[in-house]
Amino acid sequence: MTTPASSSSPGSPGSPGSPGPSGASGAPAASVRSPKRAPRNSSSALYDIPGPRARARHLGYGLLATLALAVLAAWVIYLLVDTGQFSYVKWRPFGYEGIQELLLRGLGNTLKAFAMAAVLALALGGVLAAGRLSEHAPVRWVSTLLVEFFRAMPVLVMIFFIFVALQIQPLPALVAGLTLYNGSVLAEVFRSGVRSVDRGQREAAYALGMRKTQVMTLVLVPQAVRAMLPTIISQLVVALKDTSLGYLITYEEFLHAGRLIAINMDYTMPFIPVVIVISAIYIGLCMLLSWFATWVARRERGNVKNEAVAVAPAAAGPTMPGGRGPA
């Protein structure tokens, strides 16, 4: 006779043939644990986190490099002081009103040439990039030929050719040369930026019924510009520095004004002080342009049009036309 303790039903949890929590017949029950999250900063996908000895070695390298740069800067300053470059007689011309007006006029001419060249180069780069991305082969071939030609041609050669051969005034010649070179470079920047956008963005836009122009202007170009903004600003900085080539065609820009001060003043050739002043102002302008790019990028990230939109959770819809879903 079978006792009640031994007559367990097959579907009971304690029976030998019943499936356990693991789903296998007769297998021991295994506790289900959530996967442990990897500790942050414990490892990297690209390289191993340096240990104490490696960190100490890197710190030593940094200290040695800083010490070497400090020694080099001190040596340069010593040479400048030893040759009398900081003497009062060499810096006295900058206190005259006429010298200050000359420098300000040259700085204004530099900024004017840069503003015109930057706007035209951005426009030309956009046109050439659109041509290189065109589906029409002749347009694409012509755009590619123009980009490769102007990108390979030295800026100074183009400026001299426009100024001498075409008999153009100094300012238009300088702006034209800077526009052709920087526009061709920016065309490649824009094209690579558009190509770098995920292909699904383009396909989704076409699936919504957008035309090619709408896909390019509303979907691809804004994302490409935000991605390529540092490269665009770097190229504009190059255009700002290349405006100094205008003094070779007698354009009265900032470097030309400094050269006039250095060679025409009877104060023992204050060439080094002029270079120091002009270099400091050029560096300040480039840093201001980089700061402006950072501000624009931060503003774009904070724009409500670029933020994610909250999507309502999915819910069951009505089963009959005109019906109402479950409450």
Side-chain angles (χ1 to χ4, degrees):
M1 184 175 65
T2 308
T3 60
S6 61
S7 60
S8 59
S9 61
S12 62
S15 61
S18 63
S22 61
S25 176
S31 60
V32 180
R33 298 180 179 178
S34 60
K36 293 183 179 180
R37 181 177 298 177
R40 189 178 300 177
N41 299 332
S42 62
S43 61
S44 174
L46 298 179
Y47 60 91
D48 295 334
I49 299 298
R53 295 180 60 184
R55 287 197 296 268
R57 187 166 58 249
H58 295 167
L59 179 61
Y61 293 158
L63 292 177
L64 288 177
T66 304
L67 181 60
L69 292 177
V71 170
L72 179 61
W75 179 64
V76 172
I77 294 175
Y78 169 76
L79 291 179
L80 294 177
V81 172
D82 186 60
T83 55
Q85 300 300 329
F86 293 105
S87 60
Y88 173 75
V89 68
K90 288 183 177 293
W91 290 86
R92 186 170 59 182
F94 296 102
Y96 294 158
E97 185 177 355
I99 298 299
Q100 296 173 1
E101 292 178 355
L102 179 62
L103 289 175
L104 289 177
R105 185 166 60 248
L107 181 60
N109 291 335
T110 293
L111 294 178
K112 180 171 65 175
F114 165 70
M116 297 172 63
V119 173
L120 294 177
L122 290 172
L124 179 62
V127 171
L128 292 178
R132 293 210 63 183
L133 294 171
S134 176
E135 296 178 354
H136 304 285
V139 176
R140 189 169 60 251
W141 293 341
V142 172
S143 301
T144 302
L145 179 62
L146 292 176
V147 168
E148 296 299 331
F149 176 78
F150 290 124
R151 213 166 44 137
M153 185 67 62
V155 186
L156 187 58
V157 173
M158 288 191 291
I159 293 175
F160 264 115
F161 177 81
I162 297 172
F163 177 70
V164 176
L166 302 182
Q167 298 295 319
I168 305 297
Q169 295 298 318
L171 177 59
L174 176 62
V175 171
L178 295 178
T179 299
L180 293 176
Y181 174 74
N182 293 283
S184 60
V185 175
L186 288 174
E188 287 299 288
V189 173
F190 293 153
R191 186 179 70 91
S192 61
V194 171
R195 292 292 188 186
S196 66
V197 179
D198 189 13
R199 187 176 181 181
Q201 300 282 333
R202 182 185 296 105
E203 295 175 352
Y206 281 124
L208 292 176
M210 291 185 178
R211 297 187 297 271
K212 182 180 179 180
T213 305
Q214 293 176 324
V215 173
M216 186 66 67
T217 58
L218 299 178
V219 179
L220 300 181
V221 171
Q223 299 183 63
V225 169
R226 285 194 295 271
M228 296 289 107
L229 188 59
T231 309
I232 295 173
I233 297 302
S234 299
Q235 192 60 39
L236 292 181
V237 169
V238 173
L240 175 60
K241 293 187 296 183
D242 285 345
T243 55
S244 60
L245 298 175
Y247 88 95
L248 295 174
I249 57 173
T250 67
Y251 178 62
E252 296 180 357
E253 45 82 41
F254 194 44
L255 186 61
H256 183 269
R259 181 174 176 271
L260 290 178
I261 297 172
I263 65 177
N264 293 332
M265 299 298 295
D266 190 16
Y267 293 103
T268 64
M269 296 290 292
F271 181 76
I272 299 301
V274 169
V275 170
I276 293 175
V277 171
I278 291 179
S279 301
I281 294 179
Y282 268 115
I283 292 173
L285 291 176
C286 295
M287 292 180 63
L288 183 62
L289 190 59
S290 301
W291 173 85
F292 176 73
T294 305
W295 178 79
V296 171
R298 190 183 303 114
R299 184 181 177 88
E300 286 294 325
R301 287 195 297 267
N303 193 353
V304 294
K305 294 182 180 180
N306 301 328
E307 294 180 356
V309 179
V311 181
T319 56
M320 297 295 293
R324 299 177 61 184

